[in-house]
Amino acid sequence: MEENEVKTKIWRRYEQAKDQHLRLNMHQAVKRAHNFYEGNQWEGAKTGGETLPVLNFIKPICKYQIGTVAMNDTAIIYNSITNDDTLRDVCEALTRFAAAQWEKGKMDSKKWEIIKNACITGDHYLYCYDERSPTESVAVDLSPKLAMQLVDKDEIYFADEQQKDREKQEWIIIRERVPVASVRREAKKNGVPDDEIELIVSDEDLASGDDTTEEVKTDEGKCISLLYMEKTEAGVSFCRSVRSVVYQPMQTLAGMKHYPIAGMVWDVKHRSSRGVGVVERLIPNQIEVNKTLARRSISVKRYGYPTAVVDSQKVQNPESLQKVGSTVKVRNLGGNPISSMVGYISPAPMSN
């Protein structure tokens, strides 16, 4: 069977969106921003075996700005614009429900993570979903099992990267890397034929920024799973797919008019659905500071200390000059000053 024939429609859309990410150099930009924030700022540089110094001023700047934003208390409050007692009671009930879900979802800690990652990379996302099926969701059960999942900037794909309004996106894909065994179990539960389940195999999609060498090795490995969402007249429809199999069939959340995805953009980028973080703008300054520090460090190593000069014909054990309290053996010392056999080059002057 030809390769293109086994790709699902969702996978083809994912590959188109992935090409957009590659053109924008998004995966490398995200990795680079995190490296500079964490202090791994010489990665990829040819240092000749030297361990070069880093003066990381990016992290404290980011931590200050993250704290300034995240320290503000956050809550979901429903309020009626009228004085209707019934509406007021409904709003109070919704506010209590939101507070319970906020606590259950540990949203205070997730809020810090979202703000931190948005500050570093420019934008970050939160996917909210009901762990129960659409027939058992909040429309039927008043105590749903809501869950919240953080999504990195380079793990969410939009139909149009230039469309700032997420609600106007034709479709949205969230990319996950999950064990093959769990995907096969889900496929079997959803009634996928055995011959299609056999097509669910591990992969190594390094083009998307995955380092599969760091993955925990299992018998069946991991694969890319795509959560696909699109809007229809009935509501938001979603399904899950791997490369060649849609293992969770399309379902529609009737009456749902908005994508269940919240995002934080740190600073708006012109004609882009993405944002610009603090780190990206500071990287050129950080590189120059590190280069200057490295030049000074190398200069001190090479020229900042006296250098011994030895007459190798007369000094028998020149290596002893580097040892404290050692004896230096010389030939033909009589009538010759020791300074004619051993001398030192003074350190070179350096700018203050």
Side-chain angles (χ1 to χ4, degrees):
M1 184 177 292
E2 294 294 331
E3 182 184 20
N4 289 336
E5 293 179 355
V6 299
K7 291 181 182 177
T8 65
K9 175 183 176 182
I10 295 168
W11 191 273
R12 289 195 294 271
R13 286 186 169 180
Y14 159 67
E15 289 188 328
Q16 294 170 4
K18 186 171 71 172
D19 288 341
Q20 293 186 59
H21 280 207
L22 293 175
R23 285 195 297 271
L24 296 171
N25 198 31
M26 190 178 298
H27 302 291
Q28 292 302 318
V30 168
K31 182 179 179 180
R32 189 182 190 216
H34 279 286
N35 280 340
F36 271 82
Y37 174 81
E38 295 163 5
N40 183 20
Q41 298 175 355
W42 287 100
E43 183 177 354
K46 297 179 180 179
T47 62
E50 289 277 354
T51 301
L52 300 180
V54 171
L55 181 61
N56 188 359
F57 62 79
I58 287 180
K59 188 169 186 175
I61 290 175
C62 288
K63 290 183 72 173
Y64 171 76
Q65 297 195 31
I66 293 166
T68 301
V69 178
M71 286 295 290
N72 296 305
D73 291 335
T74 309
I76 300 173
I77 306 295
Y78 291 87
N79 196 8
S80 171
I81 60 175
T82 69
N83 293 323
D84 189 298
D85 292 339
T86 302
L87 289 178
R88 186 167 58 250
D89 292 342
V90 170
C91 289
E92 290 176 356
L94 288 173
T95 299
R96 290 194 299 271
F97 175 81
Q101 299 306 316
W102 186 280
E103 182 69 22
K104 173 180 174 292
K106 300 180 180 179
M107 281 301 301
D108 283 324
S109 62
K110 285 185 173 67
K111 178 186 74 173
W112 278 85
E113 283 297 313
I114 292 170
I115 294 171
K116 173 186 172 182
N117 284 286
C119 177
I120 294 171
T121 64
D123 48 291
H124 202 70
Y125 302 89
L126 181 75
Y127 166 52
C128 304
Y129 60 97
D130 195 333
E131 293 178 333
R132 302 186 185 187
S133 67
T135 57
E136 301 172 332
S137 65
V138 68
V140 178
D141 191 335
L142 298 181
S143 57
K145 294 183 178 180
L146 296 183
M148 297 82 176
Q149 175 182 332
L150 297 176
V151 182
D152 289 333
K153 173 178 184 173
D154 56 346
E155 296 294 343
I156 188 168
Y157 297 80
F158 299 129
D160 184 359
E161 284 289 343
Q162 293 183 321
Q163 175 57 256
K164 293 180 181 292
D165 188 352
R166 279 189 299 278
E167 297 304 326
K168 293 181 180 179
Q169 296 287 349
E170 180 185 357
W171 49 261
I172 296 176
I173 292 175
I174 294 177
R175 176 183 176 278
E176 301 170 309
R177 192 154 179 84
V178 294
V180 170
S182 65
V183 176
R184 288 184 169 180
R185 283 195 301 270
E186 183 69 20
K188 190 174 185 63
K189 186 174 71 173
N190 292 324
V192 177
D194 291 341
D195 58 336
E196 293 188 18
I197 293 178
E198 291 300 318
L199 297 177
I200 303 174
V201 294
S202 63
D203 56 49
E204 295 185 0
D205 188 6
L206 296 178
S208 293
D210 288 326
D211 185 358
T212 56
T213 60
E214 297 181 359
E215 289 184 350
V216 177
K217 300 301 180 182
T218 60
D219 293 337
E220 297 179 331
K222 288 185 175 182
C223 66
I224 292 174
S225 172
L226 305 177
L227 170 60
Y228 176 83
M229 287 176 274
E230 66 179 12
K231 287 187 177 181
T232 64
E233 292 183 359
V236 175
S237 298
F238 69 95
C239 66
R240 293 181 185 272
S241 171
V242 292
R243 181 184 183 91
S244 54
V245 180
V246 176
Y247 69 91
Q248 185 181 65
M250 188 72 76
Q251 303 176 67
T252 301
L253 295 172
M256 190 170 188
K257 301 300 182 182
H258 301 280
Y259 288 117
I261 297 172
M264 179 177 182
V265 175
W266 188 264
D267 198 0
V268 176
K269 190 174 183 179
H270 181 57
R271 291 180 180 174
S272 175
S273 61
R274 309 295 180 156
V276 181
V278 173
V279 175
E280 181 179 339
R281 292 169 174 165
L282 293 177
I283 284 177
N285 296 26
Q286 181 71 72
I287 289 174
E288 192 57 36
V289 168
N290 287 348
K291 283 183 176 179
T292 300
L293 193 61
R295 293 187 190 106
R296 292 187 63 84
S297 175
I298 293 171
S299 178
V300 169
K301 287 180 182 178
R302 293 179 178 175
Y303 312 113
Y305 300 93
T307 303
V309 180
V310 181
D311 185 342
S312 60
Q313 299 297 322
K314 296 182 178 179
V315 178
Q316 298 181 39
N317 55 340
E319 67 280 358
S320 296
L321 291 171
Q322 300 178 9
K323 299 177 182 178
V324 177
S326 61
T327 300
V328 180
K329 301 176 182 179
V330 298
R331 297 186 181 92
N332 304 322
L333 182 60
N336 296 313
I338 191 64
S339 59
S340 67
M341 302 178 187
V342 179
Y344 290 90
I345 300 176
S346 300
M350 289 187 295
S351 169
N352 291 329

